Amino acid sequence: MRRVEREKVIRNAYRTTILILTICCFFLGTVLVIHEMAREYEVRVLERQLEAKGVVENEEGLYTGIELFLPQEIYVASGVTIELYDNQITSLGERISQYHVKWTCAVGRNMNRKFSVTGKDELAGTYPLIFTVFDDNGTQVAKTTTELRIVHAMKESFSLLTLGDSLSCDTATYERLNELTDNQIVYMGTRGVGGSLTEARRGFSAANYLTETGYDLEEPTEEVHPFYNEETNGFDWAYYKEMTGFDPDAVEVFLGTNGLDTDPRINGDNIVEIVQKIHEDDPALPIYLVHTLYPANQDGIGSWNNHGYALYGDRYKYEEDQKVFHLMTYLEEALKDEKNLYCVPAGICHDSANNFYVEEEPVNPHAEKVIPVPTDAVHPGRAGYRQIADCLYSVICGTKSNWRR
């Protein structure tokens, strides 16, 4: 009897132990689940905070606020020097100087603030080009790559129509193109820049070209620009050709400065619409889409005025750089599948730090020391327009063999 009672006690103790262990395991499991849920919540909160600050996770899993952009191909024509500026291929703008960067390529020069390469016939070919960003610990935080294509110079004659804003209204661009092509380009348009015909209008945005907009900043004035068709109530490429008699071999679209915003979609979509409307009527027509330029430094932005009134009164360099960067990347993504379209990376190939005209001003009202201050925040000097021409010419040299029109 005692034996039976002893076995019963042992069985009860065993069951109690199992029950206690089960409860403990359940409790510990619950604690672990709650802890994991709390950790995941903290991670989600952190990710939202990082996202709100514009910080993204790159391929290596490192958090970085750097977005990089290089087009799939960079063209350099023989006899031309093309430069890519560090602060203009990143979303950080001038803040890229807080990092360490390196250009890697079999040709060209990896310099302090840029990559520079001069095209030569003996170097013609395609080269991988890598841009890498490191932090102070030497850790790679971002990287992007492209193909550098050195191509032969072109001397063939062709006709070109430029549809643009004030950045297409300087004679230096067309003079440089004429130098490079031995005056072989036939320019078309209802307006003129020096001795070259264009469709460039100061102050015009892509939205103006899509709507019934007049022009009175220069002679001859217009009640409405010639791309607008009242019957279709919009931009009409076939109508323009019929009314003007112009039928160019290629079109340059250089818009974006007017209409720049922190959200690139409205301005970008208007530019996309112009490209697509041209191709609706003329699908084989080569279109060269020139990315707009980064502005002058903050002194230029703050000093730009009209009879004493600030033109860019509340704007600052970092935000303006962001606007240009995100419009450029938006257009590249939106038009990546558009056939017979070639993007011209003038935005990253123009030296915005040095190409604007400057005047010397005292560092303060009573000082003798002077500093150079840009007189214009948007329109570069002659050197800038010549850089734009070099970039456009190089892309045309590299892609003209694709023309099927």
Side-chain angles (χ1 to χ4, degrees):
M1 189 70 179
R2 291 179 180 175
R3 181 180 177 182
V4 172
E5 290 178 355
R6 192 185 309 115
E7 290 178 352
K8 183 177 180 181
V9 169
I10 293 173
R11 284 197 299 270
N12 289 338
Y14 176 77
R15 290 170 182 167
T16 301
T17 301
I18 294 296
L19 178 61
I20 292 172
L21 290 174
T22 301
I23 292 172
C24 289
C25 290
F26 178 78
F27 176 76
L28 289 174
T30 302
V31 170
L32 290 173
V33 168
I34 293 173
H35 176 74
E36 183 64 20
M37 290 175 65
R39 191 188 69 82
E40 290 179 356
Y41 174 75
E42 290 176 356
V43 170
R44 287 197 299 271
V45 170
L46 176 60
E47 288 176 343
R48 284 197 295 269
Q49 291 173 345
L50 293 171
E51 185 178 355
K53 295 178 180 178
V55 180
V56 297
E57 187 176 9
N58 62 19
E59 293 179 356
E60 289 75 24
L62 302 172
Y63 283 101
T64 171
I66 305 175
E67 295 176 67
L68 302 180
F69 167 76
L70 285 174
Q72 290 184 348
E73 299 165 323
I74 297 287
Y75 292 97
V76 184
S78 182
V80 169
T81 297
I82 295 294
E83 297 188 333
L84 310 176
Y85 297 92
D86 299 351
N87 62 307
Q88 292 168 186
I89 69 165
T90 84
S91 61
L92 291 182
E94 294 175 333
R95 290 195 299 157
I96 192 64
S97 62
Q98 299 172 15
Y99 294 83
H100 308 277
V101 302
K102 179 178 71 172
W103 291 94
T104 305
C105 191
V107 297
R109 296 185 293 164
N110 174 27
M111 303 181 73
N112 179 47
R113 64 187 183 94
K114 64 187 180 181
F115 174 79
S116 180
V117 58
T118 300
K120 298 179 181 180
D121 285 335
E122 60 268 28
L123 294 177
T126 300
Y127 305 88
L129 175 61
I130 306 169
F131 180 73
T132 314
V133 181
F134 303 92
D135 64 16
D136 285 338
N137 296 318
T139 302
Q140 176 183 310
V141 295
K143 181 177 74 173
T144 188
T145 63
T146 184
E147 288 188 341
L148 179 70
R149 297 195 173 186
I150 298 180
V151 297
H152 295 289
M154 177 193 64
K155 303 297 183 182
E156 304 171 34
S157 178
F158 66 95
S159 57
L160 177 70
L161 185 147
T162 297
L163 190 158
D165 52 32
S166 57
L167 292 175
S168 302
C169 289
D170 193 282
T171 57
T173 300
Y174 305 99
E175 290 171 0
R176 177 59 174 164
L177 287 172
N178 290 336
E179 288 177 19
L180 293 167
T181 62
D182 290 339
N183 297 301
Q184 292 299 302
I185 299 178
V186 177
Y187 299 100
M188 294 184 172
T190 60
R191 310 196 65 83
V193 175
S196 305
L197 295 177
T198 74
E199 290 294 352
R201 292 167 176 80
R202 300 179 189 277
F204 256 47
S205 67
N208 293 132
Y209 280 109
L210 292 171
T211 55
E212 188 176 5
T213 308
Y215 185 65
D216 59 5
L217 295 183
E218 298 171 303
E219 295 291 340
T221 60
E222 301 166 337
E223 291 186 6
V224 64
H225 63 83
F227 296 95
Y228 184 79
N229 184 351
E230 290 185 359
E231 294 185 4
T232 59
N233 193 32
F235 184 99
D236 191 326
W237 176 247
Y239 171 81
Y240 170 83
K241 292 201 300 180
E242 180 182 352
M243 297 301 294
T244 64
F246 294 130
D247 189 11
D249 294 320
V251 168
E252 173 194 3
V253 176
F254 192 178
L255 295 166
T257 290
N258 301 310
L260 269 180
D261 200 350
T262 51
D263 185 342
R265 288 175 294 183
I266 294 177
N267 195 18
D269 287 344
N270 287 334
I271 296 172
V272 169
E273 185 174 349
I274 288 174
V275 170
Q276 293 178 339
K277 281 185 175 293
I278 293 174
H279 273 164
E280 283 177 10
D281 295 325
D282 214 340
L285 179 65
I287 298 178
Y288 289 85
L289 179 65
V290 184
H291 290 310
T292 199
L293 307 184
Y294 286 85
N297 62 26
Q298 187 59 49
D299 285 343
I301 292 172
S303 301
W304 196 25
N305 67 79
N306 183 23
H307 301 293
Y309 290 93
L311 293 174
Y312 273 11
D314 63 342
R315 301 191 184 186
Y316 65 106
K317 175 66 172 170
Y318 175 66
E319 184 177 52
E320 296 307 301
D321 285 353
Q322 288 263 302
K323 292 176 183 178
V324 174
F325 180 85
H326 287 122
L327 176 62
M328 176 172 59
T329 54
Y330 183 83
L331 289 171
E332 289 276 343
E333 178 63 24
L335 289 167
K336 64 182 179 181
D337 296 324
E338 187 77 15
K339 297 184 183 301
N340 300 311
L341 174 74
Y342 308 98
C343 290
V344 179
I348 64 176
C349 297
H350 170 258
D351 189 359
S352 65
N354 296 291
N355 276 345
F356 291 89
Y357 287 131
V358 299
E359 290 182 352
E360 289 191 339
E361 294 185 6
V363 294
N364 65 62
H366 302 284
E368 294 182 1
K369 181 180 179 182
V370 296
I371 57 172
V373 175
T375 58
D376 191 316
V378 170
H379 307 97
R382 184 175 180 81
Y385 288 111
R386 289 174 68 85
Q387 268 195 312
I388 297 168
D390 287 350
C391 192
L392 173 61
Y393 170 73
S394 292
V395 179
I396 292 176
C397 287
T399 58
K400 192 173 184 297
S401 62
N402 298 333
W403 294 10
R404 295 291 182 267
R405 195 166 178 269

